[in-house]
Amino acid sequence: MKKLCAFAAIIFGVFAPTTALPVSTSITDKDVRIALNDLDVALQRRQQYIKTRQNSIDTLCSRLKASSTLNDSLEYMLAIGEAYTSFNADSAIVYLRRGIDRANGDILTRMTLLYGTQMSLVGLSNRAIEIYESINPDSLPADLQVAYHTGARQMYSYVASSFSDYHVFADSMNVRALESQQKLIGLLPKNTDLYKINLGEYYLLTGQINKARVVLAELLDNLPKENNLRARAAHMLHQIASADGDENLSTYYLAQSAISDISSATLEVLSLQELGTRMYSRGEIERAYLYLTTALANAVECHASARMLESSRALPLIEQSYRHQENLLHRRSYVIIFILIVLLLCVAAALAFVRLEMKRTARLQAHLAEANRLKEVYISRFLSLCSIYMEKLTQFSKMVERKLSTGSTAELLRMTKSGRFIEEQSRDFYEVFDDAFLHICPTFASDVNKLLRPDAQIELQPGTRMNTDLRILAFMRLGVDDAARIGQMLNYSINTIYAYRNRLKARAISRDTFEDDIAAIGS
């Protein structure tokens, strides 16, 4: 009893503040984030790792079926039992039970020890303890003593974790596990990884934190991530960092431990569950849900009752994280729906705007087409007028030449003084100008009258389309504002043009803006 209390005191003092020295580390938030991302990638490949391990076991099973001797069959049964360890406890028990019924000697002892360890994992603690207590390790050869204490350390640890709520019993199991580990360290070759992991754990459990940190860190650096010993080393380093209050380092080591568990297809694990709980406390609900549900799935697939019991304690967190995830998805759905509605309204508004722009463009195109047509008509009229004047000039030149050749200069002088020739040309010009301008502004006369007082409207004689008032205003509408140029084209003096313009302005409703209003007609 004194020995039991001494070992218990050692264990209870493991994480006392006076024994743990501060950890000096350069692990940052970024390093933790990278480690968690690596774990997420490993979880995406989880089924691939499991399939690879199962394929290896299937190969051993095929060789078992093909074995021709009892010794070969027993060796394969033991190998299959070991391969199923931490992967599928029920299958491991089945193959080991078959082997135990047929084996004897050393291989029977190995199978029995491994069988006892699996019993503790599936919750049959009494049977596991009974098996180990029925064997005297001191009577075994050295290699079987290693197997005995390796299995005993693991078995008593499983039992202790299964009865963690019963502290006295759990503490006694931990003391037995520590006793087996102490004996195991004395049996193992010192250059092996198995020796180093047990030595590091022993240092940890006996409060030699700095020694444990050195041994475990070196082991972690030298082992590949697929090695399950690396998962154990990282988990113990997490315990040290957690006791020192270094959350970043603790989380980092938990992630490294979980990565090795996943990569080695080890389903009997704690790191992923502990990490899920930590993610929940940090508010990373998505990760918490993923890690906790995967940890529970691992325990179920492994048929490890002890681990299922521990994982079941996280069920409230899993439910809460699930509810949080569900609420988050609902909120995201509402946001997405709202965004889609806004986008649809924007699209509808854009389509309406595009439709209006298309109509406006169509109107502009129609207006432009009409303007082009009017331009062509105007050019045609201008060319026609030029042609008429060329024809008139040719006829006049011939007539002058004829009169001069016959000496009728007096008659020629009389014709030019009479002004009849100019009047005829002006009449032709008015006709062509009126026709061309009214094609551009067909409602020009009525538009002008809208700008004049009711008692001062322009009234056209029957059969006429424009008069001198309208022609002067037409030139102003075309941008010809110079009275001299207007007079030249209409065959009037400048004073006459000014007189007409002043009279028209006097008849306007708004004299100040009359000329601008004329320029805006039809625009």
Side-chain angles (χ1 to χ4, degrees):
M1 187 66 182
K2 291 180 180 179
K3 187 178 180 181
L4 178 62
C5 293
F7 275 103
I10 291 173
I11 293 174
F12 296 153
V14 169
F15 294 119
T18 56
T19 61
L21 299 176
V23 175
S24 176
T25 176
S26 59
I27 294 296
T28 64
D29 290 337
K30 181 179 180 181
D31 297 321
V32 173
R33 187 62 54 191
I34 292 173
L36 292 174
N37 289 338
D38 290 342
L39 175 57
D40 293 341
V41 172
L43 284 171
Q44 291 175 3
R45 300 173 182 171
R46 173 176 173 269
Q47 292 301 326
Q48 178 183 337
Y49 296 135
I50 292 175
K51 184 178 179 181
T52 300
R53 183 165 180 175
Q54 186 62 58
N55 288 341
S56 300
I57 296 173
D58 292 341
T59 300
L60 291 174
C61 292
S62 298
R63 292 177 181 176
L64 172 61
K65 291 179 181 179
S67 61
S68 57
T69 66
L70 178 59
N71 286 337
D72 288 344
S73 297
L74 294 174
E75 290 291 343
Y76 282 124
M77 287 179 191
L78 178 58
I80 293 171
E82 291 173 341
Y84 270 123
T85 299
S86 301
F87 185 68
N88 189 321
D90 284 353
S91 297
I93 289 172
V94 169
Y95 279 94
L96 291 171
R97 183 71 261 176
R98 285 173 56 187
I100 290 171
D101 291 340
R102 302 171 63 186
N104 55 51
D106 290 351
I107 195 167
L108 173 60
T109 303
R110 290 184 182 279
M111 286 183 173
T112 302
L113 293 172
L114 188 56
Y115 180 79
T117 304
Q118 299 305 304
M119 287 289 102
S120 66
L121 188 59
V122 297
L124 300 175
S125 301
N126 289 337
R127 177 58 180 153
I129 295 173
E130 180 184 334
I131 289 173
Y132 272 88
E133 289 184 347
S134 68
I135 300 173
N136 180 10
D138 296 333
S139 64
L140 299 174
D143 59 332
L144 287 180
Q145 287 188 34
V146 170
Y148 177 90
H149 290 297
T150 299
R153 183 209 63 80
Q154 191 172 15
M155 183 272 294
Y156 286 125
S157 294
Y158 283 149
V159 174
S161 64
S162 298
F163 292 90
S164 58
D165 292 334
Y166 302 92
H167 301 294
V168 175
F169 181 73
D171 292 342
S172 68
M173 292 297 101
N174 281 325
V175 168
R176 292 189 183 186
L178 188 60
E179 287 177 332
S180 291
Q181 188 166 52
Q182 186 178 21
K183 293 178 180 179
L184 180 61
I185 293 170
L187 295 169
L188 290 169
K190 294 186 177 181
N191 60 344
T192 62
D193 294 332
L194 191 59
Y195 169 81
K196 294 176 183 178
I197 193 71
N198 281 283
L199 180 63
E201 186 172 22
Y202 180 78
Y203 283 149
L204 174 63
L205 294 175
T206 56
Q208 302 177 66
I209 304 302
N210 285 337
K211 290 182 179 180
R213 183 186 295 117
V214 172
V215 172
L216 295 172
E218 180 183 358
L219 194 60
L220 184 70
D221 291 338
N222 293 329
L223 289 175
K225 69 175 183 178
E226 299 81 8
N227 192 317
N228 190 245
L229 293 181
R230 183 179 185 274
R232 285 179 60 190
H235 189 269
M236 285 185 277
L237 286 169
H238 138 70
Q239 291 176 295
I240 295 173
S242 182
D244 291 334
D246 192 334
E247 185 176 347
N248 268 356
L249 188 60
S250 172
T251 305
Y252 175 81
Y253 281 134
L254 267 182
Q256 294 301 322
S257 178
I259 289 171
S260 292
D261 282 332
I262 298 297
S263 301
S264 61
T266 301
L267 303 184
E268 180 266 310
V269 297
L270 274 178
S271 299
L272 196 61
Q273 177 185 321
E274 294 177 5
L275 192 58
T277 303
R278 177 161 294 185
M279 292 298 103
Y280 185 84
S281 65
R282 287 172 50 162
E284 296 191 38
I285 305 302
E286 292 186 19
R287 274 200 168 106
Y289 181 74
L290 173 62
Y291 296 169
L292 291 172
T293 53
T294 304
L296 182 58
N298 282 344
V300 172
E301 291 177 30
C302 186
H303 303 285
S305 300
R307 292 295 181 245
M308 280 190 277
L309 178 62
E310 293 171 3
S311 297
S312 65
R313 293 170 182 166
L315 285 175
L317 288 182
I318 295 175
E319 182 181 4
Q320 290 177 29
S321 59
Y322 173 76
R323 297 297 181 192
H324 192 282
Q325 283 282 84
E326 190 175 37
N327 293 334
L328 182 62
L329 288 175
H330 285 161
R331 287 196 296 270
R332 287 179 178 175
S333 299
Y334 295 146
V335 171
I336 291 173
I337 291 173
F338 176 75
I339 292 174
L340 288 176
I341 292 174
V342 172
L343 288 176
L344 286 175
L345 292 175
C346 291
V347 170
L351 288 175
F353 177 76
V354 169
R355 188 173 180 181
L356 290 175
E357 285 297 308
M358 290 177 65
K359 289 182 177 180
R360 180 172 173 273
T361 302
R363 288 195 300 269
L364 289 175
Q365 289 176 342
H367 182 72
L368 182 61
E370 179 64 17
N372 287 334
R373 188 186 66 80
L374 293 175
K375 180 181 68 175
E376 292 173 358
V377 170
Y378 189 77
I379 292 173
S380 174
R381 299 297 184 189
F382 175 75
L383 293 175
S384 175
L385 181 62
C386 290
S387 176
I388 291 172
Y389 273 106
M390 290 295 294
E391 177 69 21
K392 295 290 186 179
L393 183 60
T394 301
Q395 292 177 2
F396 183 76
S397 297
K398 289 181 178 180
M399 186 267 293
V400 170
E401 182 182 357
R402 208 168 41 249
K403 295 295 184 181
L404 291 175
S405 61
T406 58
S408 305
T409 54
E411 185 180 354
L412 179 61
L413 181 61
R414 188 174 57 256
M415 289 176 61
T416 55
K417 282 185 177 181
S418 66
R420 185 167 54 87
F421 178 79
I422 299 299
E423 291 177 0
E424 291 177 358
Q425 307 314 310
S426 296
R427 193 165 46 249
D428 291 340
F429 173 78
Y430 295 157
E431 183 178 349
V432 173
F433 175 79
D434 293 349
D435 187 52
F437 182 78
L438 290 176
H439 271 85
I440 300 174
C441 297
T443 60
F444 185 69
S446 61
D447 292 336
V448 169
N449 279 330
K450 292 176 182 179
L451 302 176
L452 301 178
R453 299 191 310 272
D455 60 341
Q457 300 285 298
I458 296 176
E459 296 181 2
L460 296 174
Q461 297 296 325
T464 60
R465 294 184 295 174
M466 293 183 72
N467 58 15
T468 302
D469 290 333
L470 289 176
R471 292 188 187 104
I472 292 173
L473 295 176
F475 277 109
M476 293 170 62
R477 168 63 183 82
L478 293 175
V480 181
D481 197 42
D482 185 14
R485 290 183 59 194
I486 296 174
Q488 289 176 353
M489 288 183 281
L490 295 181
N491 197 27
Y492 289 116
S493 66
I494 295 176
N495 292 332
T496 302
I497 298 299
Y498 277 127
Y500 271 104
R501 288 176 63 170
N502 290 333
R503 282 198 301 268
L504 287 168
K505 186 179 293 186
R507 296 159 61 183
I509 297 173
S510 175
R511 295 187 58 181
D512 295 336
T513 63
F514 179 67
E515 293 184 357
D516 292 334
D517 294 337
I518 292 296
I521 291 177
S523 60

